[in-house]
Amino acid sequence: MGHPRTALVIHGGAGRYKSGMTPEKERAFHAALNEALLQGHQVLRLGGSALDAVERAVNSLEDCPLFNAGRGSVFTHNGKIEMDAAIMDGKNLCAGSVAFVTSIKNPITAARAVMERTEHVMLVGPGAEEFARDAGVTIVDPSYFFTEARWESWQKIKNQEHTELNLGTVGAVALDQHGNLAAATSTGGMNNKKFGRIGDSGIVGAGVYANNRTCAISSTGHGEYFMRLCSAYDISALMEYRGLSLEEAAQEAINRKMHDLGGTGGIIGVDRVGNVTMDFNTDTMFRGYVKTDGVTWTGVGDDVTHKEFRT
Ligand code: ASP
């Protein structure tokens, strides 16, 4: 018997590859993705759980101002920050989520606390914040989430009624040495979204899903489409009911169903034997993975030869 297989896949959002992207910025994104992979892999390498690994990787990205989750979240139509996050354990189908939260430093940690310390799956708004504070999850002043870059993106669109998909939502999926799968997604949502709008990232089955029998999935993109298609669960169901591989199921969900409905976005996934997928129908999806050998791979561009590297 060889060493038990592990795999960790992360994303840092899907969307338009901005012309304003500079080589320095690209390097910063690669470095941040790489750091999240190393932190999550460290958990898996030491025999830790997939759940711990995805939480650790997502925490790392939430703390980085480059991403639209935690620290670098986008602004709502009325100039506030409202975040959603969800986590799921494939071993027992336990799940936790928080949505419409404004002061929780790491929403994914609060989502996990909901899963482990309440009889509920989802808490929103002030109730979620009060619970998180009581559970010892770090609370910060909303000014912590302010970044110049997101403020500027909002200035360009704030007088319009529509939302904009900004690259930067984060997610992670993992397979641990014990054969357990887990998934986590965290976001500030869509730029200029309406006050009180909740997206797919906080919705189990849309933005996140994990089942040891099939796969673990984290979504990113135009959330309303992922909610209407129940995309994360759909990929698992396509594997379970139609016997598709992870790759085939992801193709069907993103490149056919999502495409036909006019939605944009991507998913990352890992199956129970450690196959991974990173599929998107946008210009790009920031992404990366690391398997048992510990060799990390990160990508910010749209194909394998362009703007990607292994370390
Ligand atoms: N899916 C997220 C939402 O709709 C946004 C994103 O992934 O960028 O809130």
Side-chain angles (χ1 to χ4, degrees):
M1 261 288 278
H3 196 64
R5 254 181 259 189
T6 65
L8 171 69
V9 194
I10 60 171
H11 70 74
R16 245 168 6 107
Y17 192 71
K18 297 224 172 74
S19 48
M21 183 64 95
T22 60
E24 292 74 48
K25 275 195 203 157
E26 271 186 16
R27 273 197 292 280
F29 276 109
H30 278 297
L33 291 166
N34 197 54
E35 175 61 25
L37 286 173
L38 292 176
Q39 290 206 24
H41 179 70
Q42 171 79 345
V43 173
L44 297 173
R45 192 176 63 81
L46 296 174
S49 69
L51 207 56
D52 284 343
V54 295
E55 183 188 1
R56 179 79 68 85
V58 167
N59 280 166
S60 166
L61 297 167
E62 285 176 330
D63 291 344
C64 174
L66 292 172
F67 297 97
N68 171 22
R71 178 90 176 84
S73 290
V74 296
F75 289 87
T76 63
H77 191 50
N78 60 355
K80 299 273 167 51
I81 279 165
E82 299 169 6
M83 299 165 288
D84 307 332
I87 191 163
M88 186 157 181
D89 186 348
K91 185 171 59 184
N92 47 22
L93 304 187
C94 284
S97 123
V98 293
F100 186 34
V101 295
T102 59
S103 65
I104 298 174
K105 178 171 173 276
N106 293 104
I108 203 66
T109 297
R112 183 166 178 182
V114 170
M115 174 173 88
E116 291 177 340
R117 298 163 73 165
T118 77
E119 55 179 320
H120 307 301
V121 169
M122 185 173 195
L123 292 179
V124 306
E129 316 233 354
E130 192 181 305
F131 161 75
R133 176 171 291 135
D134 290 350
V137 176
T138 307
I139 303 293
V140 290
D141 186 86
S143 61
Y144 164 81
F145 301 104
F146 179 91
T147 57
E148 202 59 52
R150 298 298 182 194
W151 182 255
E152 273 168 29
S153 311
W154 180 57
Q155 297 309 307
K156 293 187 194 133
I157 191 178
K158 69 177 188 183
N159 294 324
Q160 298 168 29
E161 281 305 319
H162 63 268
T163 57
E164 180 187 63
L165 177 61
N166 274 24
L167 274 158
T169 287
V170 308
V173 295
L175 168 71
D176 66 28
Q177 291 187 17
H178 318 287
N180 292 317
L181 294 170
T185 309
S186 182
T187 190
M190 305 276 288
N191 187 18
N192 204 39
K193 67 185 180 183
K194 283 215 182 332
F195 169 58
R197 177 265 190 188
I198 290 171
D200 63 314
S201 310
I203 307 289
V204 173
V208 83
Y209 197 73
N211 183 341
N212 275 7
R213 290 160 58 89
T214 53
C215 61
I217 302 291
S218 169
S219 316
T220 171
H222 199 145
E224 279 67 12
Y225 291 89
F226 285 85
M227 290 156 89
R228 290 163 61 197
L229 289 165
C230 303
S231 301
Y233 175 70
D234 190 37
I235 293 171
S236 170
L238 286 165
M239 293 175 70
E240 189 169 2
Y241 302 151
R242 273 183 42 201
L244 299 191
S245 69
L246 173 65
E247 189 57 45
E248 289 165 343
Q251 287 279 334
E252 173 79 5
I254 298 300
N255 293 322
R256 199 185 68 73
K257 294 184 181 182
M258 180 69 64
H259 174 267
D260 289 356
L261 207 61
T264 49
I267 62 100
I268 53 168
V270 58
D271 69 14
R272 49 204 279 253
V273 294
N275 293 308
V276 305
T277 188
M278 303 179 286
D279 217 345
F280 49 97
N281 72 1
T282 44
D283 280 3
T284 191
M285 178 170 75
F286 294 161
R287 60 206 185 279
Y289 69 89
V290 57
K291 291 195 174 186
T292 323
D293 62 8
V295 180
T296 58
W297 181 94
T298 56
V300 303
D302 59 357
D303 64 51
V304 282
T305 53
H306 177 60
K307 302 181 181 83
E308 295 179 344
F309 59 69
R310 286 181 78 106
T311 54

